[in-house]
């Protein structure tokens, strides 16, 4: 508005001086020309100010983008380093697996070559000792009703109580009644265990049962 007032005042001065009479419409044209010039200068000033303001506004974003570029570059380095670590870990796992397999093979060899035979020897010695001691204990237990019989291993060292025969475990011979109640299949298997190599297993159930009682150290007999 201030620039417009200056232009109007200049036109009036021209009219009062008679310049408008010498050059027709000079005053109006002078006003329009001056106004246009001032408007152009104002637009240029406004544009420059806007540009400066925009630059000032965007500069933090530009700075953030630059910092983000640095972060991305650092992240790429970290990812590359992580890939190297993963590759190294895979190698270590493969190496460890090979060592475990080698160690497992060595352990199996030790078990099969040394430990297992030692265990078998120990079990056989235990069975031998049990075959000697249990019958002596059982001989003093009469019918086994008070203090029960102890387990007497078969000749091959097998402990028969619970031994699976015809998909069923053999019963424990804790008393004379337990021997008397053996089924035909059970008495056959017990007889074969205590008297291996015998071609003819007695057909008589009484004979088989009394032979089993004798084998476990019991001095009593049954007549069914």
């Amino acid at each position: 508005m201030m620039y417009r007032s200056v232009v109007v005042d200049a036109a009036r001065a021209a009219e009062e001086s008679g310049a408008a009479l010498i050059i027709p419409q000079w005053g109006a044209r002078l006003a329009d020309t001056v106004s246009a010039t001032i408007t152009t200068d104002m637009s240029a000033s406004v544009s420059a100010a806007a540009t400066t303001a925009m630059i000032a506004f965007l500069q933090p974003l530009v700075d953030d983008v630059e910092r983000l570029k640095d972060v991305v570059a650092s992240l790429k380095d970290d990812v590359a380093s992580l890939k190297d670590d993963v590759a190294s870990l895979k190698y270590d796992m493969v190496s460890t697996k090979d060592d475990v397999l080698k160690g497992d093979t060595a352990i199996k060899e030790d078990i099969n070559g040394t430990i297992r035979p030692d265990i078998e020897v120990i079990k056989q010695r235990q069975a031998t000792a049990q075959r000697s001691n249990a019958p002596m204990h059982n001989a003093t237990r009469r019918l086994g009703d008070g203090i029960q019989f102890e387990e007497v291993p078969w000749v091959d060292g097998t402990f028969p109580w619970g031994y699976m025969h015809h998909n069923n475990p053999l019963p424990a011979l804790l008393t004379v009644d337990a021997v008397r109640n053996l089924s035909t299949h059970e008495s056959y298997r017990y007889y074969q265990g205590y008297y291996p190599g015998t071609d003819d297993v007695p057909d008589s159930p009484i004979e088989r049962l009394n032979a089993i009682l004798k084998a476990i150290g019991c001095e009593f007999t049954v007549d069914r």
Side-chain angles (χ1 to χ4, degrees):
M1 294 298 293
M2 180 181 66
Y3 291 110
R4 183 65 179 174
S5 177
V6 171
V7 172
V8 171
D9 291 342
R12 288 178 178 174
E15 289 178 355
E16 291 175 354
S17 63
L21 297 177
I22 300 171
I23 302 174
Q25 300 179 346
W26 183 88
R29 290 181 180 180
L30 176 62
D32 292 338
T33 300
V34 173
S35 178
T37 300
I38 292 173
T39 301
T40 300
D41 292 340
M42 289 179 62
S43 298
S45 298
V46 171
S47 178
T51 300
T52 301
M54 183 63 69
I55 291 173
F57 175 77
L58 294 177
Q59 189 59 48
L61 297 179
V62 173
D63 295 339
D64 290 342
V65 170
E66 292 300 325
R67 285 194 294 269
L68 183 60
K69 287 181 180 179
D70 294 337
V71 171
V72 170
S74 177
L75 183 59
K76 287 182 178 179
D77 292 338
D78 291 341
V79 170
S81 177
L82 181 60
K83 287 182 179 180
D84 292 339
D85 291 341
V86 170
S88 177
L89 180 60
K90 287 183 178 179
Y91 176 80
D92 291 342
M93 290 177 64
V94 171
S95 177
T96 301
K97 182 179 180 181
D98 292 339
D99 292 341
V100 170
L101 291 177
K102 291 178 182 178
D104 186 52
T105 301
I107 291 173
K108 287 181 179 179
E109 291 176 353
D110 289 340
I111 291 175
N112 294 328
T114 304
I115 298 176
R116 185 166 293 169
D118 289 346
I119 292 176
E120 292 301 323
V121 170
I122 293 172
K123 290 172 66 176
Q124 189 62 44
R125 288 176 179 173
Q126 180 185 7
T128 301
Q130 186 79 358
R131 279 181 54 78
S132 299
N133 296 329
M136 291 189 293
H137 167 84
N138 296 341
T140 64
R141 297 303 99 199
R142 298 178 58 81
L143 299 178
D145 294 335
I147 300 176
Q148 297 176 326
F149 296 151
E150 290 183 356
E151 184 176 14
V152 178
W154 288 335
V155 174
D156 64 359
T158 299
F159 285 79
W161 294 3
Y163 179 87
M164 296 302 295
H165 179 63
H166 286 248
N167 296 323
N168 290 300
L170 291 177
L173 305 183
L174 297 171
T175 64
V176 171
D177 285 338
V179 176
R180 181 185 290 112
N181 293 329
L182 289 174
S183 68
T184 299
H185 289 300
E186 292 168 348
S187 64
Y188 261 96
R189 187 64 188 92
Y190 262 110
Y191 186 93
Q192 291 170 339
Y194 287 125
Y195 302 96
T198 303
D199 294 332
D200 296 326
V201 178
D203 291 332
S204 168
I206 299 297
E207 189 175 350
R208 287 197 305 273
L209 296 178
N210 285 326
I212 293 170
L213 286 170
K214 181 178 179 180
I216 65 174
C218 180
E219 297 179 355
F220 283 83
T221 59
V222 296
D223 57 5
R224 205 56 178 177

